Amino acid sequence: MNLNRYSNMQFFSEHCWQPTHKWPAHDPLWPHLKHWLTHPGSLTEQLAKHFNSKVSVHLHRQQWLTATKEEQQYLGITPDTLTNIREITLFVRQQPCILARTVIPKETLSGNYQNLLTIKEQPLGHFLFGNANIIRLPQFELTTLKTADLPIQHDLPLPSEQVWGRRSRFLLSQKPLMITEYFLPFLLHSIENEQIGKPAASDILTTSSPSNDH
């Protein structure tokens, strides 16, 4: 996968999100990437299946903050709305695959949804999926950017490459929550290898490698 093929495109950037139908469909890898970037179910389960291995969560931070202006607009909340922000990395076999940021307005965290404040290093998908009162809105938005420009605080030793991001909204009893997920180079290279028939990362890394239990 040529991760830098869109390096000169201003259409997708850290501050420019577009719906999936505007993604460059002429890219021969798009059909395979689309399956990942628009997958409506649990990304944790999808990773576990792809690598045939356990997925672990490293919590970078979770605290009460003001969402960015762009996040406020996406969620439809006012600038004075207090939000709980959770930033994590999903690891498979000690390799970072997904960097994610969840923004939850305070008014969403009522009743049983207050449990989202204490999930710590449990996968968020275990809470969101399978609950009849929680729905994921069908429209994803996508972007690309360099690893150096990732807008989430982290200490990951990432190579200087292009990454893909997606964001989506959930309704928890009709109250909003948003998740932004960045697909990191290790995962993107594994998708490429699977697409062109090379040994995938799940084959290269031995199953005896310890998982990252942060």
Side-chain angles (χ1 to χ4, degrees):
M1 182 184 300
N2 183 355
L3 299 180
N4 296 310
R5 68 178 65 196
Y6 301 118
S7 59
N8 295 321
M9 293 180 64
Q10 299 301 315
F11 190 70
F12 297 103
S13 71
E14 177 186 352
H15 303 292
C16 183
W17 294 85
Q18 297 291 341
T20 54
H21 70 270
K22 291 189 177 181
W23 190 262
H26 61 273
D27 183 343
L29 289 174
W30 169 237
H32 200 68
L33 288 173
K34 183 178 180 180
H35 172 70
W36 280 87
L37 294 169
T38 63
H39 180 66
S42 169
L43 187 54
T44 301
E45 291 184 1
Q46 190 180 17
L47 283 171
K49 181 178 179 180
H50 176 74
F51 289 104
N52 191 28
S53 185
K54 178 183 176 182
V55 178
S56 60
V57 179
H58 172 64
L59 177 65
H60 295 288
R61 65 171 178 169
Q62 181 167 6
Q63 58 192 114
W64 292 100
L65 296 168
T66 300
T68 67
K69 183 178 180 180
E70 188 176 37
E71 289 169 337
Q72 292 166 5
Q73 293 173 345
Y74 189 65
L75 283 165
I77 59 177
T78 59
D80 61 346
T81 300
L82 190 61
T83 58
N84 190 264
I85 293 177
R86 178 176 184 258
E87 296 178 341
I88 61 98
T89 298
L90 296 180
F91 282 85
V92 177
R93 298 177 183 171
Q94 300 183 333
Q95 300 297 323
C97 292
I98 299 289
L99 190 62
R101 173 180 168 100
T102 303
V103 182
I104 316 173
K106 186 177 181 179
E107 67 173 11
T108 300
L109 293 163
S110 60
N112 290 335
Y113 300 135
Q114 294 182 48
N115 293 334
L116 290 171
L117 296 173
T118 58
I119 62 173
K120 297 183 179 179
E121 295 189 335
Q122 300 177 57
L124 181 62
H126 290 177
F127 186 92
L128 295 179
F129 296 99
N131 186 326
N133 294 317
I134 300 176
I135 62 171
R136 183 178 220 161
L137 298 180
Q139 182 63 68
F140 288 91
E141 291 188 353
L142 309 177
T143 192
T144 61
L145 67 162
K146 294 286 190 178
T147 50
D149 297 324
L150 285 164
I152 296 177
Q153 295 181 10
H154 67 87
D155 55 1
L156 303 172
L158 299 176
S160 179
E161 295 181 7
Q162 195 102 336
V163 298
W164 274 257
R166 72 174 188 179
R167 67 181 184 182
S168 61
R169 285 166 291 193
F170 289 77
L171 293 180
L172 286 63
S173 298
Q174 301 303 311
K175 296 180 180 179
L177 170 153
M178 71 173 287
I179 301 178
T180 304
E181 298 156 320
Y182 295 98
F183 291 64
L184 301 179
F186 178 75
L187 174 58
L188 293 173
H189 288 305
S190 179
I191 294 172
E192 175 196 15
N193 290 339
E194 182 181 66
Q195 178 75 1
I196 64 178
K198 291 181 179 179
S202 55
D203 298 322
I204 296 172
L205 295 175
T206 64
T207 56
S208 61
S209 299
S211 61
N212 193 320
D213 292 322
H214 291 275

